[in-house]
Amino acid sequence: MNRRGMILILSSPSGAGKTTIARNVREKEPRLEVSVSVTTRTRRPSEVDGTHYHFITPEKFIRMRDAGDLLEWAEVHGNYYGTPREPVENALAEGRDILFDIDWQGTLQVYDALREDTVSVFILPPSAEELRRRLERRAEDSAETISRRLANAREEIRHWREYDFVIVNHDLEISVRDVQAILVGERNRRARLPDVEAFADQLIADLGRSGAV
Ligand code: 5GP
């Protein structure tokens, strides 16, 4: 049965485990695609251009934004990030689901553009200490970056109420299972299955003809 694709947004402050959760969900749900954002941030050594992000100059970012090529965009931790519009519109039209790892500012813009197609999940860290520990363990970032991210975490967490679902990430495996359950449940939402209308009508008609009703 045909259905429209959907957007699954995962948001959290840096260090809450969102990236690890996203990676694990994708291993279990290989059909879930990932939206590759554009960013003006410097590439970390472990990152691959075109896979983790499209790393672009501020000039190019502004050109894309002003041309309407971004579905949403935001300034996060002093850098610009944005979601290219076209791959998302194609995925939705072709019935493919797409995962967004974006912040709350971007989430609100996606709601404005495509609320019916969007399910959002906010991931909270189990405690402030654990968030701090996880950020410090991420050796790729400088001390200054870490302290900026900690300050921003408070602001990000203030927006948890704007999300459809909330997960406290005590245990990676449980969090992954919960995100997967949300995805599977939302795929079966009636509004996402327009063909069911005709299918159910046909069932009712067939049952009437066979004298079963
Ligand atoms: P990082 O620099 O650690 O990869 O990401 C920093 C923050 O930017 C994360 O909270 C991430 O969710 C957010 N982010 C990444 N890509 C996008 C995007 O395309 N749009 C928005 N609004 N936020 C993004």
Side-chain angles (χ1 to χ4, degrees):
M1 207 161 304
N2 283 330
R3 71 170 178 89
R4 195 165 153 77
M6 69 180 191
I7 295 170
L8 176 67
I9 297 180
L10 294 187
S11 295
S12 74
S14 299
K18 169 186 54 181
T19 309
T20 314
I21 292 173
R23 195 175 53 238
N24 282 265
V25 168
R26 282 203 67 228
E27 276 165 18
K28 295 189 190 314
E29 297 282 341
R31 280 182 308 143
L32 181 64
E33 297 179 13
V34 175
S35 166
V36 181
S37 298
V38 292
T39 183
T40 61
R41 162 162 85 59
T42 314
R43 188 176 63 79
R44 295 185 187 130
S46 63
E47 289 175 329
V48 178
D49 190 16
T51 301
H52 296 92
Y53 285 105
H54 300 287
F55 295 94
I56 62 173
T57 61
E59 294 72 33
K60 172 124 196 249
F61 187 97
I62 287 162
R63 238 181 296 131
M64 286 183 79
R65 185 193 65 186
D66 294 351
D69 293 343
L70 300 179
L71 174 63
E72 61 75 35
W73 69 275
E75 192 179 340
V76 187
H77 312 315
N79 294 299
Y80 288 125
Y81 297 82
T83 303
R85 178 190 300 279
E86 204 182 302
V88 176
E89 288 179 346
N90 292 342
L92 294 176
E94 291 162 19
R96 293 178 281 119
D97 301 328
I98 185 156
L99 177 77
F100 283 22
D101 171 344
I102 62 174
D103 81 329
W104 66 271
Q105 306 173 77
T107 300
L108 297 185
Q109 294 168 55
V110 176
Y111 287 170
D112 282 345
L114 294 165
R115 187 63 181 101
E116 298 284 290
D117 294 316
T118 303
V119 180
S120 62
V121 182
F122 197 87
I123 296 164
L124 288 168
S127 67
E129 294 72 45
E130 183 58 23
L131 184 74
R132 195 170 294 123
R133 257 199 304 276
R134 288 184 190 169
L135 280 179
E136 282 164 2
R137 261 202 312 260
R138 193 189 281 172
E140 287 187 280
D141 291 323
S142 66
E144 187 206 327
T145 302
I146 292 170
S147 60
R148 181 146 31 114
R149 281 169 188 244
L150 272 172
N152 288 342
R154 295 181 68 200
E155 181 58 24
E156 183 80 24
I157 291 173
R158 287 202 175 96
H159 293 275
W160 70 274
R161 285 188 192 81
E162 285 145 16
Y163 286 73
D164 299 322
F165 295 91
V166 181
I167 293 174
V168 181
N169 186 22
H170 289 288
D171 178 286
L172 175 65
E173 217 169 293
I174 294 172
S175 301
V176 169
R177 192 201 57 197
D178 287 359
V179 172
Q180 216 187 341
I182 291 166
L183 179 69
V184 172
E186 287 290 330
R187 278 181 179 148
N188 290 290
R189 194 175 274 281
R190 181 161 45 85
R192 274 189 248 288
L193 295 167
D195 291 358
V196 170
E197 185 91 25
F199 177 74
D201 284 349
Q202 189 63 52
L203 274 179
I204 292 163
D206 289 350
L207 286 167
R209 252 197 308 281
S210 64
V213 272

